[in-house]
Amino acid sequence: MSVPAFGLGTFRLKDDVVIASVKNAIELGYRAIDTAQIYENEAAVGQAIKESGVAREDIYITTKIWTDNMGAEKVIPSLKKSLAKLGTDYVDLTLIHWPSPNNAVSLEETMSALLEAKKMGLTREIGVSNFTVALMQQAIDAVGAKNIATNQIEVSPYLQNRYVTDWAKEHGIHITSYMTLAYGKVLQDEVIGRIAAKHQASPVQVSLAWAMELGYSVIPSSTKRENLQNNLKATALKLDAEDMAAIATLERNERIADPEGLAPQWDN
């Protein structure tokens, strides 16, 4: 697996807030940062990485192509703009952020352009986000599974998305989980709380460790240094089979990220 198991998300963080978050995270030991064109924080993220003093090659940067830039003539120019904002010659991973609304741009067109960007050295890897099984199959048909580094999707103890994650695993596509904490909802769960007490850990750490135990990458965000440090401790927490079985029972199919006009027809 090339995608780091643990990284920092920057959704909804901008300007000085995201700069502080990224700098604190890197200082604490984070080495993967996730951003996107639509977040409008790529320049601030790039500034923070530069000011951190850590070498560029030691940081894994992910960005995402927005739906307005999916045409063959727009993917590479828009990615070059992202690189300029980030202050780097390349990113480590570039994702399609959401499927093209109403299939306005064919997936083959966008994936082919991303593959060309990879060949040009603008991005080390390419992948997808918010893709269903049918869309993953289309992406595989377009560029081959070996060229799809990950599918970044909403996964939490309350939305385990097993149909999608199982299919991805069978076809060699890694999963990156976002909203792993369900916007904090799972932190009040009694089952998660009992497991946390058992391991002398926090509910946050249990939820993140659960996803990593399943083989997923996680990208939690925080504006507080203490929380960033506590989140990182999840990488050292090992849940046992009993813990995993208990969390498996929490499935509610409770989806949070379902934007009208962007979301595909979900598999569950």
Side-chain angles (χ1 to χ4, degrees), residues 18-90:
V18 78
I19 290 172
S21 178
V22 172
K23 289 176 76 171
N24 274 322
I26 292 175
E27 190 173 312
L28 289 167
Y30 286 66
R31 289 297 180 267
I33 312 294
D34 182 277
T35 183
Q37 293 175 345
I38 198 64
Y39 296 173
E40 297 181 346
N41 65 9
E42 289 172 314
V45 167
Q47 178 183 334
I49 291 172
K50 182 178 180 180
E51 292 177 358
S52 75
V54 174
R56 165 66 187 93
E57 57 267 24
D58 293 331
I59 305 290
Y60 189 100
I61 303 175
T62 299
T63 195
K64 310 178 196 78
I65 303 294
W66 189 240
T67 55
D68 293 345
N69 298 322
M70 289 184 176
E73 77 287 357
K74 293 183 178 180
V75 170
I76 289 173
S78 78
L79 180 55
K80 287 181 176 178
K81 287 182 181 179
S82 291
L83 297 181
K85 291 175 182 177
L86 286 161
T88 182
D89 295 331
Y90 70 95

Side-chain angles (χ1 to χ4, degrees), residues 19-195:
I19 290 172
S21 178
V22 172
K23 289 176 76 171
N24 274 322
I26 292 175
E27 190 173 312
L28 289 167
Y30 286 66
R31 289 297 180 267
I33 312 294
D34 182 277
T35 183
Q37 293 175 345
I38 198 64
Y39 296 173
E40 297 181 346
N41 65 9
E42 289 172 314
V45 167
Q47 178 183 334
I49 291 172
K50 182 178 180 180
E51 292 177 358
S52 75
V54 174
R56 165 66 187 93
E57 57 267 24
D58 293 331
I59 305 290
Y60 189 100
I61 303 175
T62 299
T63 195
K64 310 178 196 78
I65 303 294
W66 189 240
T67 55
D68 293 345
N69 298 322
M70 289 184 176
E73 77 287 357
K74 293 183 178 180
V75 170
I76 289 173
S78 78
L79 180 55
K80 287 181 176 178
K81 287 182 181 179
S82 291
L83 297 181
K85 291 175 182 177
L86 286 161
T88 182
D89 295 331
Y90 70 95
V91 286
D92 297 273
L93 175 62
T94 304
L95 307 178
I96 295 177
H97 203 154
W98 286 90
S100 180
N102 300 314
N103 199 33
V105 179
S106 75
L107 185 52
E108 182 179 8
E109 180 178 334
T110 308
M111 292 302 299
S112 296
L114 272 180
L115 186 58
E116 180 61 26
K118 179 180 177 180
K119 292 175 180 176
M120 292 170 65
L122 303 177
T123 183
R124 297 282 172 85
E125 300 182 286
I126 62 174
V128 298
S129 183
N130 299 300
F131 269 36
T132 61
V133 164
L135 288 166
M136 282 192 287
Q137 183 62 65
Q138 289 181 41
I140 289 172
D141 292 343
V143 298
K146 69 180 187 299
N147 284 310
I148 303 170
T150 197
N151 182 12
Q152 186 179 121
I153 57 174
E154 182 182 350
V155 175
S156 78
Y158 290 168
L159 180 70
Q160 300 188 18
N161 230 334
R162 287 304 179 93
Y163 179 68
V164 172
T165 58
D166 288 350
W167 192 95
K169 184 176 182 179
E170 289 171 9
H171 291 79
I173 297 179
H174 177 65
I175 292 293
T176 298
S177 162
Y178 72 79
M179 291 187 182
T180 316
L181 309 178
Y183 270 172
K185 288 184 180 182
V186 301
L187 307 185
Q188 310 304 318
D189 191 275
E190 291 183 7
V191 172
I192 299 287
R194 285 199 301 270
I195 296 171

Side-chain angles (χ1 to χ4, degrees), residues 1 9 81 123 132-133 157 172 202 214 226 232 260:
M1 184 182 76
K81 287 182 181 179
T123 183
T132 61
V133 164
S202 71
L214 289 171
E226 181 181 2
L232 187 58
E260 186 176 353

